[in-house]
Amino acid sequence: MGGPPARNARRRRVVLPWTLLGLWIAVLALAGPFAGKLGDVQHDRAVDYLPASADSTQVAKIQDRLPGGETTELVLVYHRDGGLTAGDRETAGEQVAAIGRELKLTGTPEGVPSKSGDTLMYPVASNAPGQDEKLRDAFVNDVRDIAHDTGAGMSVEVGGPGALATDAAEVYQSLDGPLLYTTVAVVAILLILIYRSPFLWLVPLVVAGVADFLSMGVAYGLHETFGTTISGQSSGVMTILVFGAGTDYALLIVARYREELRRVERPYDAMRVALRGCGPAVLASSGTVAAGLLCLLAADLNSSRGMGPLGAVGVLCALVAMLTLLPAVLVLLGRRVFWPLVPALGSQPKPRRSLFSAMGSSAERRPLTVLGVGAVLLGALALGALNLSGAVKQEDSFTSTPDSVAAMKTLAAAYPETGTQPLTVIAPTRGADRAVRTARATEGVADVQRGRSGGGWTEITVVARAAPQSAAETATIEALRDGLDAQGAYVGGPSAEQLDLKDTNARDRLVVVPIVLAAVLLVLVALLRSLVAPLMLLVAVVAVWGAALGIGGLVFGPVFGFEGTDPGLELLSFVFLVALGVDYGIFLMHRMREEVLGGADTRAAALTALRTTGGVIASAGLVLAATFAVLTNMPMVQLVELGFVIAVGVLLDTFLVRTYLVTSASLALGRKVWWPGALSRPAGEPVPPPAEEAVLTRTS
């Protein structure tokens, strides 16, 4: 029958899983109303992505406070191959007049014909939408409804900053559904292939879905409490991280649980032992990723700084769900959830020569040779980064060609020596006249018009002679800023925003990268009680990042046809690959440390760790790479480039660096890999493990 301790143990086995399940139901009920509001606070205006301290950000903020709020600027482009007819010009004038009658415009639009006579553009602006994105989109769509093709051979396109913003917002708003469904489908297929069970794959997938729902509620809370920026890019990446990282943790836990079910009779007890064995690695892994992502708070770029907390929220929600809800559900379902490959008590897995055993054997024979070849290969791939082109222009940031992009391309061809995208100068009203004179005297400026005033500020519109985002226009922007800086004026507008994005990303790389490396190193040192092993892992992930970026440089232009590179690609891919890549190193090195504490020498421990964790790491890497690869199917160049580099980097890390190179380095270094910790002592010296590690070793 057993005494009170036995009865208490039986009670815990029954009560605890059901209690955890009940708590999760309560948590979801509380998070539900907030999760549903996340889309309402998601914004994709330029000011939500701009650097916090840049001129262009100040311009956007002051414009919001001017009478009428932010100005929505459009350009109507009328074009006919071979030249516009008198009837075409009359039709264009009638459509523009109708826009003026039906919509509230700022000023009276005037047509500007091209020298070739085949294009006529009308700049159109309105303050009516203000800073409300829905009103802006409605205004743009109303203009498009009125300015439509007549079917007589003349094309009509609506471009300009407002139209580009509307098309970009439409793309980001359309991501949520397809991104989630595609991610779920990809993860489901991979889990079915990995587990070869008709039921087991559903458990981690459903738990990941629960974690994603919770993360949406927490993200909304962050926005309301701290004003965290929520953009389409950051919320999409958060979903990717929840499913990718969460599934990785599930794979590790389930693999260890299956292993313990062969040794332990009751599922509850087997899960306890499994969590004791792999829990520290999962905690350290998620902690490393979260710490790395939170380093983005040091970035000056709004979009990067907002992505840090959201990414960390996604990872931590996945961690909590996988350490509590997943074990509870698995214990309640019992061994039958593994059907048809049920791990019976006392059984042994079929002995077979695994790929990772073979890789370990080859690394064992010539560790230095493997290291040398791997280093040369990664170095050669990294050289491809030299082929990365300059910053992608706004009109080239879509993988398709929306109306706004078509309009900008038509303008670029028809007005090659004329600015078609005005700059905005915000000057103190008391010095506005002086600012106008300074702007007119600036080299490269074609026209200057004084605009609205309010709150002590005046808006001035400046048209450059050079084409948008060209080297000549950039020189004009810099000259304007040099001349107006002493007057307390700011220079903004779409081209200035892109210049600020590029410059701020360069600044953020110098600040954030060292912080990320330091944070990750500290976590690894605390976990592995060593300095050499953490440094080895960091060097490995940095090498992976360089190689993945190099592969991107070889395919983005020649294969994908992209006209530029997202300025934030290097920083974001570095943060994600370093933080996520160290995950697998933690899984491998933590198991190796367990084996050494159990009495094995470092050489045997390295091979055992590779053999026992190689399959799990490979499965986890495939899932994580596949989830980020989902981004390559999205219609924005920035998302495609980010998803591609991270997916390729994860695959390199999983199948080359983590398995071959880290194992080879461990074999070559021997006990030195644990220096200066106690495990680095010569084999003859006793190495008593700390009490908690001794318990883990005995129970594993």
Side-chain angles (χ1 to χ4, degrees):
M1 294 285 296
R7 286 196 296 272
N8 290 337
R10 286 196 297 271
R11 189 178 299 113
R12 283 196 302 272
R13 295 186 192 109
V14 175
V15 173
L16 186 57
W18 284 109
T19 301
L20 288 173
L21 192 59
L23 285 174
W24 269 100
I25 293 173
V27 167
L28 292 181
L30 291 173
F34 303 106
K37 295 180 181 179
L38 185 63
D40 298 335
V41 298
Q42 176 180 311
H43 297 290
D44 292 291
R45 296 182 304 149
V47 72
D48 297 313
Y49 286 81
L50 291 175
S53 60
D55 266 28
S56 53
T57 308
Q58 302 307 314
V59 168
K61 289 181 177 179
I62 294 171
Q63 278 185 315
D64 288 345
R65 301 196 299 266
L66 290 176
E70 184 179 5
T71 301
T72 299
E73 298 175 332
L74 305 177
V75 180
L76 276 61
V77 184
Y78 294 88
H79 176 82
R80 180 191 289 273
D81 292 335
L84 294 168
T85 66
D88 292 337
R89 296 187 182 89
E90 184 179 351
T91 298
E94 291 173 352
Q95 290 187 354
V96 173
I99 292 171
R101 288 192 304 270
E102 298 182 27
L103 303 174
K104 186 179 179 181
L105 300 182
T106 303
T108 302
E110 295 183 5
V112 181
S114 66
K115 292 181 180 179
S116 59
D118 60 2
T119 305
L120 179 64
M121 73 168 176
Y122 279 91
V124 173
S126 174
N127 302 128
Q131 56 184 323
D132 190 305
E133 292 179 53
K134 293 182 179 178
L135 291 178
R136 178 203 65 198
D137 297 344
F139 170 71
V140 173
N141 291 327
D142 287 342
V143 170
R144 284 172 169 167
D145 289 340
I146 298 172
H148 61 277
D149 292 347
T150 61
M154 178 180 66
S155 65
V156 184
E157 298 159 343
V158 179
L164 282 168
T166 292
D167 289 339
E170 183 178 344
V171 167
Y172 278 119
Q173 289 165 7
S174 69
L175 291 182
D176 292 343
L179 183 65
L180 177 61
Y181 304 146
T182 307
T183 301
V184 170
V186 167
V187 173
I189 291 170
L190 288 174
L191 287 176
I192 291 171
L193 294 174
I194 292 167
Y195 287 139
R196 292 173 291 170
S197 167
F199 307 113
L200 182 57
W201 64 275
L202 271 171
V203 179
L205 189 64
V206 170
V207 173
V210 169
D212 185 48
F213 190 75
L214 175 62
S215 70
M216 293 168 65
V218 176
Y220 177 80
L222 279 181
H223 173 80
E224 293 299 297
T225 306
F226 302 105
T228 303
T229 300
I230 310 290
S231 66
Q233 185 184 48
S234 61
S235 62
V237 168
M238 182 178 72
T239 294
I240 291 288
L241 281 171
V242 170
F243 280 91
T247 305
D248 278 6
Y249 304 149
L251 287 168
L252 189 67
I253 292 169
V254 172
R256 192 65 177 260
Y257 176 53
R258 187 201 295 265
E259 187 179 327
E260 299 303 334
L261 281 173
R262 301 182 188 277
R263 302 200 218 22
V264 181
E265 180 181 359
R266 294 182 178 88
Y268 177 88
D269 297 329
M271 181 59 74
R272 284 186 61 191
V273 176
L275 290 178
R276 284 177 178 174
C278 68
V282 172
L283 284 169
S285 169
S286 60
T288 304
V289 177
L293 291 173
L294 286 175
C295 292
L296 284 171
L297 287 170
D300 191 36
L301 199 65
N302 279 343
S303 55
S304 297
R305 196 168 62 252
M307 188 178 291
L310 254 67
V313 162
V315 170
L316 294 178
C317 286
L319 169 72
V320 173
M322 295 304 169
L323 285 182
T324 57
L325 182 59
L326 177 69
V329 174
L330 288 174
V331 168
L332 290 173
L333 292 174
R335 295 175 186 269
R336 58 185 177 274
V337 74
F338 289 94
W339 186 88
L341 303 175
V342 179
L345 181 64
S347 64
Q348 293 292 331
K350 291 182 179 179
R352 56 183 179 181
R353 178 72 170 172
S354 71
L355 169 65
F356 300 100
S357 295
M359 294 175 75
S361 298
S362 62
E364 183 181 21
R365 287 193 296 270
R366 295 185 178 86
L368 293 178
T369 302
V370 171
L371 269 178
V373 172
V376 170
L377 176 61
L378 292 175
L381 290 174
L383 292 176
L386 299 175
N387 197 45
L388 288 170
S389 51
V392 64
K393 296 181 180 179
Q394 273 187 308
E395 60 264 30
D396 296 324
S397 61
F398 300 87
T399 56
S400 57
T401 309
D403 189 51
S404 58
V405 172
M408 301 306 288
K409 291 184 182 296
T410 302
L411 288 173
Y415 303 86
E417 303 299 329
T418 305
T420 56
Q421 191 165 267
L423 305 170
T424 301
V425 173
I426 294 291
T429 300
R430 286 183 298 178
D433 292 337
R434 182 185 173 194
V436 168
R437 291 194 299 270
T438 300
R440 284 178 176 157
T442 301
E443 185 177 354
V445 171
D447 185 43
V448 179
Q449 296 293 330
R450 182 167 174 158
R452 301 170 291 164
S453 294
W457 296 96
T458 294
E459 182 182 68
I460 302 167
T461 300
V462 178
V463 178
R465 291 194 177 93
Q469 293 183 247
S470 62
E473 191 202 37
T474 297
T476 300
I477 294 171
E478 291 173 344
L480 275 171
R481 285 178 168 172
D482 289 340
L484 293 169
D485 183 61
Q487 301 176 31
Y490 303 106
V491 180
S495 295
E497 291 166 3
Q498 295 302 307
L499 178 61
D500 288 336
L501 288 173
K502 179 183 176 182
D503 292 344
T504 306
N505 270 298
R507 173 264 175 199
D508 285 349
R509 283 197 300 273
L510 295 176
V511 173
V512 176
V513 166
I515 297 175
V516 171
L517 291 174
V520 172
L521 181 62
L522 287 175
V523 174
L524 290 175
V525 169
L527 175 72
L528 300 176
R529 318 287 175 86
S530 161
L531 187 59
V532 173
L535 287 173
M536 179 179 70
L537 294 180
L538 272 188
V539 170
V541 292
V542 171
V544 165
W545 168 71
L549 206 61
I551 294 174
L554 296 176
V555 302
F556 288 158
V559 179
F560 294 168
F562 294 159
E563 298 293 332
T565 306
D566 176 27
L569 176 65
E570 293 181 9
L571 176 62
L572 292 180
S573 62
F574 178 85
V575 172
F576 281 110
L577 281 177
V578 168
L580 294 169
V582 167
D583 262 17
Y584 304 136
I586 288 173
F587 296 162
L588 184 71
M589 297 300 291
H590 185 268
R591 186 58 182 260
M592 190 189 306
R593 182 177 173 81
E594 276 192 67
E595 296 296 326
V596 172
L597 288 170
D601 61 40
T602 301
R603 178 176 292 268
L607 298 176
T608 300
L610 177 60
R611 185 180 67 253
T612 55
T613 66
V616 178
I617 290 176
S619 301
L622 283 172
V623 170
L624 189 62
T627 53
F628 272 98
V630 169
L631 291 176
T632 63
N633 197 39
M634 299 297 108
M636 296 292 289
V637 167
Q638 295 92 326
L639 294 178
V640 174
E641 291 179 341
L642 181 64
F644 179 87
V645 170
I646 295 177
V648 168
V650 169
L651 291 176
L652 281 175
D653 191 73
T654 303
F655 293 101
L656 173 63
V657 174
R658 204 58 50 206
T659 47
Y660 252 139
L661 302 190
V662 170
T663 301
S664 297
S666 301
L667 291 170
L669 290 169
R671 285 188 172 270
K672 293 177 183 177
V673 77
W674 307 114
W675 186 89
L679 296 180
S680 63
R681 295 174 186 168
E685 297 185 26
V687 185
E692 70 274 12
E693 294 194 5
V695 171
L696 293 182
T697 304
R698 287 196 299 271
T699 57
S700 296

